[in-house]
Amino acid sequence: MGVARGVPSAADAVAPGGLTSTEAAERLRRDGPNLLPEPRRASSLRLLAAQLTHLLAVLLWVASGLALLAGMPELAAAILVIIVLNGGFAFWQEHRADRSAQRLRALLPSDTRVVRDGRTVVVQAAGLVVGDVVLLEAGDRVAADLSVVSARSLGMDESMVTGESGSVPRHEGDRLLGGSFVVQGDATCLVAATGTSTTLAGIADLAASAERPPSPLTRQLDRVVRVLAVIATGTGVGLGAVALGLGLTATEAFLFGVGVAVALVPEGMLPTVTLSLARGAQSMAARQALVRRLDAVETLGATTFICTDKTGTLTQNRMNVVEVVTPVGSVTVEGNGYEPVATAVGPRAALDRSRQAALAAVACVTGRVVERTGEHEGWQALGDPMEAALHCFALRLGAEVPDHDDTQRRPYSSDRMLTSALDRHGEVSVLGAPESVLRRCSGSSEGAGLEQQLDRLTTSGRRVLAVARRTWTGEPSAEMEAGLELLGLVALEDPPRPDVRDALAACREAGIRVAMISGDHPRTAEAIARQVGLLGEGGLVVTGDQLPADDAELAALLDRDDGVVVARVSPADKFRIASSLRGRGHVVAMTGDGVNDAPALREADVGIAMGASGSDVAREAADLVLLDDHFATIVAAIELGRATFRNIRRFLTYHLTDNVAELAPFAVWALSGGNYPLAISVLQVLALDIGTDLLPALALGAEPPRDGIMHGSSRRRLVDRSLLVRALAVLGLTEAVLALGVCTIVLTSGGWTWGETPSAELLAVASGSTFAAIAVAQMANAFACRSAVVPAWRMPLLGNRLVLAAVAAELVLLVVFLGVPSLADLLGGSWPAPLGWLAAGAGAAVLVLVDGAAKRARAKHRLR
């Protein structure tokens, strides 16, 4: 019987020299490689099938079948081409984004130092096996679950897995989690679990099993499609019955009704929506936001609540020493992150004391800054950012930092709240929380007057550490951490990103509420939130253990205008926050970078992962990956999402206008009992939908964002009363009256009177003129639909060059449809008479004027 993977047995015992290569190979064969299970991705065929079988696609499949049944195989084929091309394009877009996210996995380190055959070797992380002896040092990533055999000042960053920020001390016998990082010290460890048996794999599996909610766009489009399907079916059945009553045979009436129903199906809507979302995704990618699902583009625009991390998103994740308060004076430091250049200002005695404090602090830590390689000058941090900032500060002051490889350290512990180091000269350095260090200093004068300074520094949101020293003879012990001489209080800050305040102000103006969800101490998180403008006077600061157990109470507590800070949160807290806010009606965007964040990212309407610093599991769970980890990029993506939403409303208005004009001739023919001839044919309707109208609709989907798009809350309904009134009662009705008016003018000029049957030649000219009137009116409508409030003549003509190109192409197609005899005969019309062209052109001008008058009337109504 085999040994259970990840459960060491007697056979897994290891000699001090590590496993032999033979033993390692056998265990690798037995347990398999040390790899996380690949995310359960659906097959490419299944993903493609999903793009071909959603509700709008199903409606088109039905329309294609009915067209074939009605004896219109060309139309059936055209609809099939639309379905397949659109589905293929949408699949390719999302597949490309998914591949881009997968390529980010290659940025993770993959080598680990182990002891095998009695010597240290470097192996790929995938080759680790249970029982391997692993050697860790600062900067290493833990590639499997390990058990600590021995450690020296070992500090771990486990935020990727547990969400707990800051360095966590680990000692002999402790468990190290795969996916965590060594920020200080070194250790010798034994591999306890690999691959799918690790804690990391369990969290990844939980994230993969979380259900992703349908996007607001998907829900609203489904509603629109159902309504249009009912309208098309009802109209087809009604007109089929009228045709039967007017003397057509049952078969002819049925085929006529089917043709009308097919004609009213919005064949152009599917590719228009897809291409608009794809263009939005490309625009977001250009602004450092990688969209992994196309519908997330619009969902971002509907966002009403952002739950954001602090470190690296709102701040630069570059700790910086900004002030040192010593018993002999204060020193202020002006510098940028880890850059070498800085200015330290203060009395000479305080500068000397600060230099001593910096050297003592550096002796207690292992984080460092090193020279950057490549084209960028300056320093970069290795290890914990705070520790690197201390080293950077010492170098800025001109201190010569010695090699402390032989330093003996007592690592940080939560009861002592400090760390200490003893060098070979008997110098003890102590670094820790001020309240812990100050009480260990000898003489009340050392701490006198500093309490007020400490209050000033902490209330300003800075992280404050106390540094002290003494001499000691003997081995490191607790006694050497008493009777200290205070060197100073060192204040550090993680500077906010320079434009995050403006981004948060844009959120407030847009009606988007923001909460900081952080694992940090509440005072630190609150100070940063106030500094960047996230937290107002009435803002809430709460810790994870203070959150209400009831989800409705939780959502009500967090749903406030003045900002929220939730500190010391757990992964379960983040998941509950996303779920409860969604239950309250919010569209929630949640950021995260750790493996533990993945379930919350899936629960949110938009999961946003960090591309530069995040885990691959978080990126797999996310809808959006920030390539620069920047909060302002989220706001830019929301702006583009809002623009995409408005563009979808623009071309929906355009499509619905056309449908009214196309339906009107059939309605007049039916209501008149056949006394008014049928002005256009079913194939002409389809030529308008698929031929002339598609390109302008696509161009409207590329309308650039307007100034003011982030003013006020986002419109939540895709099709509302204002859109329907404008599309149906204003533009649609006007276009229908104009089309029928052109038809009537052409018929009467040819001698037709009410109730007569016009000659075939006259009817063909009238039908071609009606077709031209609708097409030309739609050209004007393309310009009118560029804005819901600004008249067409006040819009910049070159503001959307694609509309100009699309209208030009529509004009060419119109000439082809009417000027090529065989094609005109197939559609059922002929080249219009000069009077028909003149009336069609005049009708386009009338449409623009009516639209402008309606916009002006709505503006006056809003002002009252």
Side-chain angles (χ1 to χ4, degrees):
M1 181 180 293
V3 180
R5 185 178 183 187
V7 182
S9 68
D12 290 321
V14 60
L19 298 174
T20 66
S21 298
T22 303
E23 290 171 327
E26 173 59 27
R27 295 183 185 187
L28 184 63
R29 184 196 62 76
R30 180 191 72 189
D31 295 338
N34 176 41
L35 296 173
L36 288 178
E38 281 293 320
R40 291 193 292 271
R41 289 189 175 88
S43 67
S44 295
L45 286 177
R46 184 175 178 182
L47 293 175
L48 179 59
Q51 297 293 346
L52 299 175
T53 55
H54 53 75
L55 189 57
L56 182 51
V58 168
L59 180 61
L60 294 183
W61 282 110
V62 172
S64 178
L66 291 175
L68 189 63
L69 184 64
M72 296 181 283
E74 299 87 354
L75 171 60
I79 297 176
L80 286 178
V81 168
I82 288 176
I83 299 171
V84 173
L85 287 180
N86 182 82
F89 178 77
F91 165 77
W92 175 72
Q93 283 284 332
E94 296 195 354
H95 178 70
R96 186 177 65 171
D98 189 59
R99 290 294 299 273
S100 297
Q102 289 183 54
R103 283 195 291 270
L104 294 172
R105 297 167 68 103
L107 300 177
L108 297 175
S110 60
D111 293 335
T112 302
R113 290 189 306 142
V114 300
V115 178
R116 285 190 183 168
D117 299 317
R119 58 192 179 90
T120 301
V121 296
V122 176
V123 301
Q124 288 191 341
L128 285 179
V129 297
V130 173
D132 255 329
V133 176
V134 176
L135 306 179
L136 296 176
E137 61 183 16
D140 286 347
R141 180 173 70 96
V142 178
D145 283 1
L146 309 178
S147 177
V148 179
V149 176
S150 63
R152 187 176 66 160
S153 304
L154 183 63
M156 303 298 299
D157 177 359
E158 299 179 347
S159 59
M160 283 289 177
V161 184
T162 66
E164 180 70 25
S165 64
S167 178
V168 181
R170 289 291 179 248
H171 312 285
E172 180 179 340
D174 286 344
R175 182 95 162 192
L176 304 185
L177 302 178
S180 59
F181 288 84
V182 181
V183 295
Q184 73 171 27
D186 50 59
T188 300
C189 306
L190 197 67
V191 175
T194 61
T196 56
S197 298
T198 61
T199 303
L200 193 66
I203 300 175
D205 190 61
L206 174 63
S209 64
E211 292 293 328
R212 191 186 301 275
S215 72
L217 178 65
T218 298
R219 293 192 295 266
Q220 295 197 54
L221 277 179
D222 285 350
R223 188 181 304 119
V224 171
V225 167
R226 285 194 295 269
V227 171
L228 292 177
V230 170
I231 292 174
T233 303
T235 303
V237 170
L239 291 180
V242 170
L244 185 64
L246 292 176
L248 273 69
T249 66
T251 300
E252 291 172 336
F254 171 74
L255 295 180
F256 175 74
V258 168
V260 171
V262 172
L264 293 177
V265 172
E267 291 88 358
M269 184 186 296
L270 182 60
T272 307
V273 170
T274 300
L275 290 173
S276 182
L277 293 175
R279 184 176 178 85
Q282 291 171 354
S283 299
M284 289 182 184
R287 299 179 73 167
Q288 302 299 304
L290 176 65
V291 176
R292 300 190 66 238
R293 293 193 307 143
L294 282 183
D295 55 3
V297 173
E298 186 279 330
T299 309
L300 269 166
T303 297
T304 60
F305 207 110
I306 302 175
C307 300
T308 178
D309 290 328
K310 175 183 73 68
T311 303
T313 308
L314 298 176
T315 67
Q316 299 178 28
N317 196 22
R318 297 179 63 172
M319 296 295 289
N320 197 32
V321 175
V322 294
E323 187 175 355
V324 180
V325 177
T326 76
V328 296
S330 299
V331 172
T332 58
V333 185
E334 294 182 0
N336 181 22
Y338 304 123
E339 298 305 316
V341 179
T343 301
V345 179
R348 180 178 296 276
L351 286 169
D352 291 340
R353 196 68 171 256
S354 296
R355 192 173 295 110
Q356 296 169 22
L359 286 172
V362 170
C364 296
V365 299
T366 58
R368 295 292 186 265
V369 291
V370 296
E371 291 286 344
R372 279 199 188 104
T373 58
E375 59 184 27
H376 300 290
E377 297 181 356
W379 293 329
Q380 64 181 8
L382 293 181
D384 184 270
M386 183 202 71
E387 297 181 3
L390 295 171
H391 183 222
C392 178
F393 175 59
L395 296 180
R396 283 171 169 173
L397 292 180
E400 296 184 6
V401 180
D403 184 355
H404 283 286
D405 285 345
D406 60 348
T407 299
Q408 301 180 74
R409 296 186 182 89
R410 295 196 73 215
Y412 178 91
S413 63
S414 57
D415 57 334
R416 290 161 45 244
M417 298 178 67
L418 55 81
T419 182
S420 60
L422 174 63
D423 67 17
R424 61 179 181 272
H425 303 297
E427 183 80 16
V428 176
S429 301
V430 176
L431 175 72
E435 59 270 28
S436 180
V437 174
L438 286 175
R439 69 169 179 261
R440 298 167 187 264
C441 292
S442 60
S444 59
S445 61
E446 293 288 59
L450 292 179
E451 293 295 338
Q452 187 175 2
Q453 294 278 33
L454 178 60
D455 288 341
R456 176 181 63 83
L457 294 173
T458 54
T459 54
S460 66
R462 294 167 177 172
R463 183 170 186 178
V464 183
L465 301 172
V467 187
R469 69 181 177 187
R470 67 163 296 175
T471 57
W472 179 259
T473 56
E475 294 298 317
S477 65
E479 288 76 12
M480 76 179 190
E481 296 172 350
L484 303 172
E485 174 194 7
L486 181 68
L487 293 174
L489 302 175
V490 179
L492 303 96
E493 69 177 11
D494 183 5
R497 290 185 179 267
D499 52 355
V500 71
R501 176 175 284 274
D502 291 340
L504 286 164
C507 287
R508 283 195 300 273
E509 190 174 8
I512 300 171
R513 299 183 173 183
V514 182
M516 177 194 291
I517 312 294
S518 174
D520 282 340
H521 189 281
R523 178 180 288 182
T524 303
E526 177 183 0
I528 291 295
R530 294 198 185 280
Q531 186 177 355
V532 300
L534 185 150
L535 204 61
E537 290 297 326
L540 172 71
V541 180
V542 64
T543 57
D545 58 2
Q546 296 172 333
L547 297 176
D550 181 75
D551 284 351
E553 292 181 13
L554 172 61
L557 178 70
L558 301 181
D559 192 7
R560 56 182 65 217
D561 291 325
D562 285 342
V564 179
V565 171
V566 186
R568 299 301 192 199
V569 293
S570 68
D573 292 332
K574 294 187 74 169
F575 184 91
R576 281 192 62 221
I577 288 170
S579 177
S580 62
L581 289 172
R582 289 186 61 243
R584 193 173 170 86
H586 280 290
V587 178
V588 180
M590 172 76 74
T591 71
D593 55 7
V595 175
N596 60 305
D597 291 329
L601 295 181
R602 282 191 173 271
E603 176 63 21
D605 293 285
V606 183
I608 304 173
M610 304 297 110
S613 62
S615 67
D616 54 328
V617 175
R619 290 191 289 262
E620 294 289 350
D623 306 294
L624 187 77
V625 178
L626 297 185
L627 302 181
D628 58 1
D629 293 5
H630 197 341
F631 181 83
T633 302
I634 301 175
V635 179
I638 289 174
E639 181 181 9
L640 289 170
R642 286 193 171 194
T644 300
F645 180 78
R646 289 193 182 183
N647 288 345
I648 293 175
R649 284 176 58 88
R650 287 186 177 100
F651 60 66
L652 280 178
T653 303
Y654 182 82
H655 278 306
L656 292 175
T657 299
D658 198 12
N659 284 347
V660 174
E662 292 165 350
L663 178 60
F666 293 95
V668 170
W669 170 79
L671 292 174
S672 70
N675 287 315
Y676 191 95
L678 187 58
I680 57 174
S681 69
V682 170
L683 287 180
Q684 282 177 315
V685 170
L686 293 164
L688 287 168
D689 284 345
I690 300 177
T692 62
D693 277 358
L694 187 57
L695 290 178
L698 293 175
L700 288 171
E703 190 71 22
R706 299 270 193 280
D707 292 338
I709 197 170
M710 294 293 283
H711 295 173
S713 59
S714 173
R715 189 187 295 273
R716 297 293 300 277
R717 296 191 63 182
L718 192 62
V719 178
D720 57 12
R721 182 176 179 274
S722 65
L723 185 147
L724 291 175
V725 168
R726 182 170 180 235
L728 304 181
V730 178
L731 294 171
L733 181 60
T734 301
E735 197 170 294
V737 170
L738 290 172
L740 290 172
V742 169
C743 182
T744 302
I745 289 173
V746 173
L747 285 173
T748 54
S749 66
W752 172 82
T753 58
W754 182 266
E756 293 183 354
T757 301
S759 65
E761 182 180 355
L762 178 60
L763 182 59
V765 173
S767 182
S769 299
T770 306
F771 181 87
I774 296 175
V776 173
Q778 281 294 90
M779 295 178 196
N781 191 30
F783 293 100
C785 287
R786 288 185 60 200
S787 173
V789 295
V790 180
W793 60 85
R794 291 187 178 175
M795 295 292 294
L797 186 61
L798 300 180
N800 186 347
R801 297 174 185 269
L802 290 178
V803 169
L804 292 174
V807 168
E810 185 177 10
L811 183 59
V812 171
L813 284 172
L814 175 61
V815 171
V816 170
F817 286 150
L818 295 175
V820 177
S822 57
L823 190 55
D825 291 342
L826 174 66
L827 296 178
S830 65
W831 189 262
L835 182 62
W837 282 116
L838 181 62
V846 169
L847 180 78
V848 171
L849 292 174
V850 170
D851 176 65
K855 289 174 178 175
R856 184 176 181 181
R858 285 199 304 273
K860 287 183 176 180
H861 178 74
R862 285 194 296 267
L863 291 175
R864 286 201 296 267

